[in-house]
Amino acid sequence: MSESVYAPLIKLQKQYFQSGMTKPYSFRMDQLKKLKDLLQTYESKFNDALYSDLRKHPQEVYTTEIGAVYEEINTAMRNLGTWMKPVRTGAPFFLFPSHGTIYPEPLGNVLIISPWNYPVLLSFRAVVAAIAAGNTIVLKPSELAPATSKVMADMINDHFDLGYLHVLEGDGATVVGELLDQFRFDHVFYTGSTAVGKIIMEKAAKHLSGVTLELGGKSPCIVSKDANLTVAAKRIVWGKLLNAGQSCVAPDYLLVHASIKQTFIDLLIKEIEAAYGTNPLQNGFGKIISAKRWKQLTSYLNQGSVLYGGQTDEQSLYVGPTIMEAVPMEAPLMKEEIFGPILPVFTYEKEEDVLKIIEQNPYPLALYVFTSSSKTSRFFMDNVRFGGGAINETVLHLGNGELPFGGVGSSGMGRYHGKFGFDTFSHQKGVLKRATWFEPAFRHPPYSEGKTKLWRWLLK
Ligand code: NAD
């Protein structure tokens, strides 16, 4: 078999790591600072690229992509010293006299594979964590956001050492396929669809590479009759229509208490029009990423009744903000992650009924509950398995770097953001240190009844 074109790159990345250069605190801090400076320099290029790929408004680019990466970098720089410090632990009495120490150390050479929907955020938030943890990094952005992928490749590859941090562009199946088939990475961090997540995990398993999988799923949004409905409508419309609904944590469908259904739908429509007017396309509403996805989304419009919206335009890959009802649970719209600006609404009478609906698509990535009752929110926290979420808010749990972010079951495995990202890209080396002034004879053979009795007392 001929040598892979990526062999020199991977060799360099492994050598760079082996040299130990990435380990010192000062090196990691310098790289984080350099990345932030570069992002600042390239901000306007990213604005243009994200407009071309997804018709993102600069405000959305700043708040949900670049600004959010600055926040991640700032958090890492503020805390790096503490995160890197070995942590001393206690030890059980039977190990007297000893203590433990946990040494966080970099995993080595890692691969980060990112999707198209928030290409800057979902590439660099993981890259920041991997830099902070002291790894060498190959980043593979999505080919479906080609303009942004190109700016990322230019920015990184023109300014970072090939052996340290490098962007590889191109078709996912081809590039990632070859990388994972031919090389062993010390960790693979993947964000994208559940279907491709399975391929990644299977390929990584052949090398026993660890994986973090940040996947998708259907995220329910529950609106209880005691919620602040005006605020709920504003926050749901914002979270659903951000990036034209193409957010992994967008509220996928709404579960509204039957008694407030019409009032709430009227409020949603009011908020949609306050945000985007009656002609969102003219007001810069985001673009669906591809003709394939556009066709998929438009097919959903026939799977129930359209209460509001439903406008589409193939040429501009536009699907307008849409509210639907009467969607059968077995329709593709309710079986697949919608990933677009279509919001089906269902009603419920009892909280237990909500659980039955959610259970049809288990393990959501996110769950949102709007209620003023802590009993109601607690009920859903205790009874639904989901990756993470928010009470009286949508999407913004991502903004709190003190919270772990990740899925569960089919919505993913592993977590990142802030310290959780540092830990994901670190190995926690646990070491016991025992004093030598005391050597208990009862651990050593010859074994005896007396010694066994003592162990029974120690480990009861
Ligand atoms: P995508 O098609 O851009 O794929 C993601 C990455 O996988 C890309 O870099 C692509 O090149 C690569 N890829 C594609 N096919 C591959 C293959 N056969 N083998 C190896 N690599 C391959 O993105 P997508 O999957 O369409 O993204 C949308 C999905 O991602 C949604 O389900 C969404 O919920 C999920 N998502 C999850 C998160 C999260 O944080 N959990 C964030 C964003 C998106």
Side-chain angles (χ1 to χ4, degrees):
M1 195 165 56
S2 60
E3 192 182 59
S4 162
V5 288
Y6 305 121
L9 166 70
I10 305 304
K11 192 171 167 207
L12 272 177
Q13 290 233 339
K14 291 192 186 302
Q15 280 170 349
Y16 200 102
F17 180 72
Q18 285 300 337
S19 76
M21 271 169 71
T22 62
K23 287 192 178 175
Y25 170 83
S26 57
F27 177 88
R28 304 186 201 190
M29 286 294 273
D30 288 349
Q31 306 312 310
L32 290 169
K33 167 97 179 46
K34 181 170 164 179
L35 181 63
K36 185 169 177 189
D37 291 346
L38 280 169
L39 282 166
Q40 278 162 346
T41 309
Y42 278 74
E43 243 182 51
S44 73
K45 288 198 168 114
F46 279 121
N47 272 328
D48 295 346
L50 285 159
Y51 190 82
S52 153
D53 288 333
L54 286 150
R55 214 156 47 220
K56 283 198 195 198
H57 187 280
Q59 181 176 335
E60 233 175 84
V61 172
Y62 196 83
T63 51
T64 66
E65 300 252 25
I66 295 180
V69 179
Y70 293 157
E71 175 72 12
E72 190 74 25
I73 295 175
N74 295 343
T75 304
M77 291 180 76
R78 226 178 18 250
N79 295 293
L80 188 62
T82 315
W83 293 348
M84 284 177 69
K85 260 199 206 115
V87 178
R88 192 180 158 119
T89 75
F93 182 58
F94 75 90
L95 290 174
F96 178 83
S98 74
H99 70 269
T101 306
I102 303 168
Y103 297 88
E105 62 170 30
L107 293 174
N109 176 217
V110 302
L111 173 64
I112 295 172
I113 307 158
S114 58
W116 51 265
N117 60 336
Y118 291 89
V120 176
L121 177 74
L122 298 175
S123 297
F124 290 120
R125 230 173 158 173
V127 166
V128 167
I131 291 177
N135 299 278
T136 59
I137 304 145
V138 176
L139 169 65
K140 162 66 185 76
S142 174
E143 66 278 19
L144 295 181
T148 315
S149 169
K150 165 98 176 54
V151 178
M152 288 196 277
D154 289 349
M155 180 183 91
I156 296 297
N157 298 350
D158 288 352
H159 296 92
F160 283 91
D161 201 315
L162 187 70
Y164 174 55
L165 169 61
H166 192 73
V167 174
L168 281 180
E169 290 190 275
D171 172 64
T174 314
V175 178
V176 176
E178 178 159 346
L179 286 171
L180 290 179
D181 285 340
Q182 305 267 334
F183 306 99
R184 181 185 188 278
F185 288 90
D186 294 296
H187 195 74
V188 180
F189 187 103
Y190 168 82
T191 307
S193 65
T194 301
V196 173
K198 288 180 187 169
I199 300 175
I200 303 288
M201 192 166 173
E202 203 178 320
K203 286 185 184 290
K206 296 214 171 90
H207 306 281
L208 285 182
S209 295
V211 290
T212 301
L213 301 176
E214 299 286 345
L215 311 176
K218 286 184 91 61
S219 301
C221 180
I222 303 156
V223 185
S224 159
K225 64 181 175 197
D226 59 16
N228 179 331
L229 297 186
T230 311
V231 171
K234 278 186 198 300
R235 294 180 182 175
I236 292 168
V237 165
W238 179 81
K240 177 73 187 181
L241 298 182
L242 203 62
N243 198 22
Q246 301 166 110
S247 307
C248 56
V249 287
D252 187 276
Y253 60 98
L254 221 54
L255 293 153
V256 184
H257 192 270
S259 62
I260 54 159
K261 180 187 169 196
Q262 198 49 53
T263 314
F264 197 63
I265 285 171
D266 292 344
L267 282 169
L268 288 174
I269 295 170
K270 193 170 147 221
E271 287 308 326
I272 293 170
E273 295 190 346
Y276 300 100
T278 47
N279 189 347
L281 181 56
Q282 298 305 313
N283 290 323
F285 192 70
K287 164 181 159 224
I288 301 308
I289 190 69
S290 64
K292 187 173 157 211
R293 283 292 309 151
W294 182 87
K295 284 203 179 84
Q296 180 82 30
L297 286 169
T298 49
S299 77
Y300 291 153
L301 298 173
N302 305 319
Q303 294 168 16
S305 314
V306 173
L307 284 177
Y308 177 81
Q311 292 85 3
T312 62
D313 177 50
E314 185 163 16
Q315 220 202 337
S316 48
L317 294 180
Y318 170 72
V319 175
T322 299
I323 302 173
M324 293 182 67
E325 69 170 351
V327 179
M329 281 296 156
E330 55 285 353
L333 175 56
M334 280 313 289
K335 288 277 156 228
E336 297 159 6
E337 180 182 356
I338 298 173
F339 224 53
I342 301 171
L343 186 63
V345 179
F346 300 86
T347 57
Y348 70 90
E349 296 283 351
K350 294 200 300 283
E351 286 168 0
E352 288 73 17
D353 301 340
V354 169
L355 301 185
K356 285 189 200 116
I357 295 176
I358 295 176
E359 273 158 19
Q360 303 194 20
N361 287 287
Y363 306 116
L365 179 58
L367 180 94
Y368 305 112
V369 185
F370 284 84
T371 177
S372 56
S373 152
S374 43
K375 199 166 152 246
T376 300
S377 56
R378 187 62 201 258
F379 174 81
F380 291 113
M381 296 305 115
D382 287 348
N383 289 294
V384 184
R385 277 183 291 188
F386 58 99
I391 298 163
N392 294 323
E393 188 48 274
T394 62
V395 175
L396 287 176
H397 55 300
L398 260 84
N400 184 350
E402 295 191 34
L403 293 175
F405 178 77
V408 60
S410 51
S411 60
M413 61 180 68
R415 62 210 64 77
Y416 73 137
H417 291 182
K419 169 79 158 61
F420 301 98
F422 177 87
D423 287 345
T424 284
F425 286 101
S426 303
H427 168 62
Q428 312 291 336
K429 197 151 68 178
V431 176
L432 178 86
K433 184 172 181 187
R434 198 158 196 192
T436 53
W437 55 263
F438 171 61
E439 178 56 13
F442 62 88
R443 76 191 266 188
H444 298 287
Y447 299 135
S448 69
E449 217 172 288
K451 286 180 181 177
T452 309
K453 233 186 211 163
L454 188 56
W455 275 111
R456 282 189 178 283
W457 177 76
L458 283 168
L459 302 178
K460 53 183 169 292

